[in-house]
Amino acid sequence: MENNPNLKWYVVHTYSGHENKVKLSLERIVESRDMQEVIPEIMVPMEEVVELKDGQYKKKMRKLFPGYVIVYMDMNDESWYVVRNTKGVTGFVGPGSKPVPLSDEELRNMGIHDQGPIIDFKVGDMVSIKAGPFIDSVGTVDHINQDKGTVSVLISMFGRETPVELEYHQVVKL
């Protein structure tokens, strides 16, 4: 899947108890209309809980947000129409009829991690630095820290290899 910068997470309100049906319906529509690039992911966030039933503990999956489905989509007229007119959907969460994407902090609080940037380099690759104080320097990728979204690049400075920590967007593979 190509990296689409317009993809964001949106919350869709559904009839209570219809979350999984909405998810399946939406996935079928996306498939039939060939919209996987516009709506690549649909989630009903679940958590595992242990309940005591008939004197025995049983593991059970429970919806984290009953009545809601989370959709990763590129919001445009067609995608809005498809989601909004899916059976069981009552609307998007947001003021009036304007859907508002979830913020990074909201995603973290919900346990949904943003896909983040797609990187095309790996440890050992030669890269050019295209931003920051070391712009136009060339170096070798030493380490990639996906949690922080940074890359450690070894550049030649004062006759020796020096590690420099940069954000993904500051380097480009040679």
Side-chain angles (χ1 to χ4, degrees), residues 57-85:
Y57 288 100
K58 301 220 186 231
K59 288 183 182 177
K60 182 180 163 190
M61 294 305 285
R62 180 176 73 188
K63 293 178 188 89
L64 275 175
F65 310 105
Y68 296 95
V69 174
I70 317 298
V71 182
Y72 192 54
M73 64 189 285
D74 179 348
M75 184 62 70
N76 60 38
D77 290 344
E78 184 188 13
S79 62
W80 179 90
Y81 181 85
V82 164
V83 173
R84 184 64 188 87
N85 290 290

Side-chain angles (χ1 to χ4, degrees), residues 72-120:
Y72 192 54
M73 64 189 285
D74 179 348
M75 184 62 70
N76 60 38
D77 290 344
E78 184 188 13
S79 62
W80 179 90
Y81 181 85
V82 164
V83 173
R84 184 64 188 87
N85 290 290
T86 298
K87 188 174 184 195
V89 170
T90 59
F92 282 94
V93 172
S97 61
K98 176 146 176 43
V100 176
L102 291 168
S103 68
D104 290 342
E105 185 180 351
E106 288 168 328
L107 290 169
R108 276 192 299 280
N109 292 340
M110 293 171 74
I112 301 170
H113 302 289
D114 196 7
Q115 310 308 80
I118 294 173
I119 56 172
D120 65 346

